[in-house]
Amino acid sequence: MESTPTLKPDLLGRTRDRLAEALAPVVDRPFRVEQIYQALYARGVRDFAEMTDLSKDLRSKLADSFRIGYPEIKERHLASDGTCKYLFRLHDGATIEAVDIPDRDRRTFCISSQAGCALACSFCVTGYWGAGRDLTAGEIVAQVLAIRADRDLPMEGLNLVFMGMGEPLLNLANVKAALDILTEWISPHRITVSTVGILPGLEEMAAWERRPNLAISLHAPNDARRSEIMPINRTWPLADLMTALRRFPLEKGRKITFEYILIRDVNDDPRDADRLVKLLSGVRAKVNLIPINPDPVLGERMMPPDDGRVERFQQRLRERGLIATVRKRRGDDVSAACGQLRAFGRDPRGVRARQAAAR
Ligand code: SF4
């Protein structure tokens, strides 16, 4: 087995206090910490030599003791609609994907929280690839910094969605540390954390002072169907999830987004729309319908309904008073669309991949 070389500690992903602790043996005066913090995030400096407001001696001490942990851009795939998918290689060889999605005057980065996912949702390519390690706070922030630098964009005005690889609430401490930094430049109103509904994580988030938007990957209107396509539902069934969401504190005007992947003959019956309306009663909700993006590893059952059926489903929700939108397909010609991200550079090892290999 290849041995991992010893790494210097990463400065990225440290809140001000933690940065001050790490830098204490090196910096001469406390205000240097702030200078370095601003250089890392506001200016996106990735080499200590570029911190020219610091003395040469301090720059060289920093370079001897620390690294600025940007990932390597292994691949970059530009879709015909301008969406750009990045394959990043991390210091230990793990690979993750993240996506830059331009949409008129909006700019959204979809970023990953884990280098894979153990939750095995049957409509998701990441789940097929299987579990990977948690990303550090630095690796989460670094995705934003790396895409911003590559696309030459300012941090302000960006939108972020934690909808890439992994379940953010299973890596909540690192997601929180990353958010503490990123929200200094990007309003929490422009950030969405998407979860299948890990109840202890939701409780923790409910207590945060500055909460990002919350999106719930729902995808089915009852337990039987949800457990079939999302095994996590057996641990936290819908009744418990909905109770937690009814208690979740929402600022005035904010709603919880419910993502609902439409799969032909699985969850797209108009009666499913009625069940959904009933399920969401009492929650300030909006529904985002996502016709599934087919992928060879997902099998023939995972196909989208035709456009007419999608429209009828949306209409049914609207007639019954729910806000319902249909997500535009973005980046599907480079497999950057929803549910299509995977850990390239290693073989799939999720439950379904193992079952397929055994056949
Ligand atoms: S949909 Fe999300 S939680 Fe489910 S397998 Fe994919 S990445 Fe994991």
Side-chain angles (χ1 to χ4, degrees):
M1 227 172 81
E2 221 178 283
S3 66
T4 315
T6 317
L7 276 179
K8 294 175 198 162
D10 188 2
L11 283 191
L12 290 182
R14 294 170 194 265
T15 52
R16 269 194 187 78
D17 290 350
R18 289 205 44 231
L19 187 67
E21 267 170 42
L23 293 175
V26 182
V27 294
D28 45 1
R29 301 201 210 125
F31 71 85
R32 300 281 182 223
V33 175
E34 186 60 26
Q35 280 178 304
I36 295 167
Y37 192 82
Q38 294 298 330
L40 291 174
Y41 303 114
R43 284 170 30 222
V45 164
R46 48 201 304 177
D47 185 334
F48 293 109
E50 293 167 39
M51 296 187 180
T52 46
D53 49 348
L54 307 179
S55 69
K56 220 169 159 194
D57 179 48
L58 179 52
R59 278 182 269 157
S60 120
K61 278 190 196 152
L62 288 170
D64 287 345
S65 311
F66 301 104
R67 69 193 165 97
I68 304 173
Y70 274 58
E72 175 198 348
I73 299 178
K74 279 276 289 176
E75 287 170 29
R76 192 191 276 107
H77 298 275
L78 187 63
S80 50
D81 61 14
T83 299
C84 189
K85 179 171 79 161
Y86 289 85
L87 174 67
F88 291 123
R89 187 178 185 278
L90 307 177
H91 66 84
D92 61 350
T95 53
I96 53 167
E97 294 194 313
V99 189
D100 169 32
I101 311 162
D103 187 11
R104 284 167 297 197
D105 52 350
R106 263 176 88 85
R107 196 79 186 213
T108 305
F109 293 175
C110 174
I111 57 176
S112 294
S113 54
Q114 297 180 306
C117 186
L119 297 189
C121 302
S122 61
F123 47 80
C124 172
V125 176
T126 309
Y128 183 90
W129 243 255
R133 69 169 173 84
D134 286 346
L135 301 187
T136 63
E139 287 166 339
I140 295 170
V141 174
Q143 293 170 67
V144 180
L145 297 177
I147 301 177
R148 176 186 76 154
D150 193 57
R151 309 289 270 175
D152 196 18
L153 294 165
M155 191 95 112
E156 293 80 6
L158 288 178
N159 298 281
L160 298 183
V161 292
F162 284 76
M163 293 184 187
M165 292 164 56
E167 163 52 57
L169 270 55
L170 290 180
N171 184 20
L172 197 53
N174 289 329
V175 167
K176 169 80 165 62
L179 285 173
D180 284 345
I181 295 164
L182 292 166
T183 49
E184 288 199 34
W185 286 274
I186 305 171
S187 156
H189 291 215
R190 287 178 173 270
I191 301 177
T192 301
V193 171
S194 174
T195 174
V196 294
I198 308 289
L199 295 199
L202 279 175
E203 261 174 47
E204 202 181 317
M205 270 183 81
W208 291 357
E209 224 168 272
R210 301 184 78 213
R211 283 180 300 279
N213 299 310
L214 181 63
I216 301 292
S217 293
L218 193 66
H219 310 314
N222 60 27
D223 280 322
R225 230 109 36 90
R226 194 166 190 257
S227 296
E228 196 190 318
I229 58 174
M230 299 176 71
I232 194 71
N233 192 68
R234 293 184 204 127
T235 308
W236 287 296
L238 283 172
D240 297 346
L241 174 60
M242 297 315 295
T243 303
L245 294 176
R246 286 192 186 94
R247 282 201 301 253
F248 194 84
L250 287 176
E251 285 167 35
K252 206 167 162 240
R254 290 175 99 180
K255 293 185 169 53
I256 297 174
T257 301
F258 289 86
E259 289 151 7
Y260 193 98
I261 288 195
L262 280 167
I263 310 165
R264 187 199 300 161
D265 298 332
V266 172
N267 62 2
D268 64 339
D269 193 285
R271 280 167 302 179
D272 290 331
D274 298 343
R275 292 182 186 110
L276 194 52
V277 172
K278 203 163 159 210
L279 182 71
L280 300 185
S281 71
V283 183
R284 285 190 353 228
K286 58 183 174 190
V287 177
N288 195 9
L289 300 170
I290 310 162
I292 189 170
N293 293 297
D295 190 289
V297 305
L298 298 179
E300 284 162 17
R301 196 171 163 229
M302 295 289 141
M303 297 303 284
D306 61 43
D307 291 352
R309 202 157 163 91
V310 172
E311 247 172 64
R312 278 194 295 282
F313 199 97
Q314 180 188 25
Q315 198 51 33
R316 190 95 164 198
L317 295 178
R318 286 183 166 172
E319 283 162 7
R320 282 154 183 72
L322 268 179
I323 299 172
T325 51
V326 178
R327 185 180 296 172
K328 269 196 270 173
R329 198 164 281 169
R330 301 302 309 257
D332 54 343
D333 52 338
V334 294
S335 294
C338 197
Q340 290 189 308
L341 304 188
R342 65 196 78 204
F344 282 100
R346 69 165 165 87
D347 291 334
R349 56 179 175 228
V351 185
R352 278 174 293 121
R354 291 202 303 275
Q355 285 164 351
R359 279 200 287 271

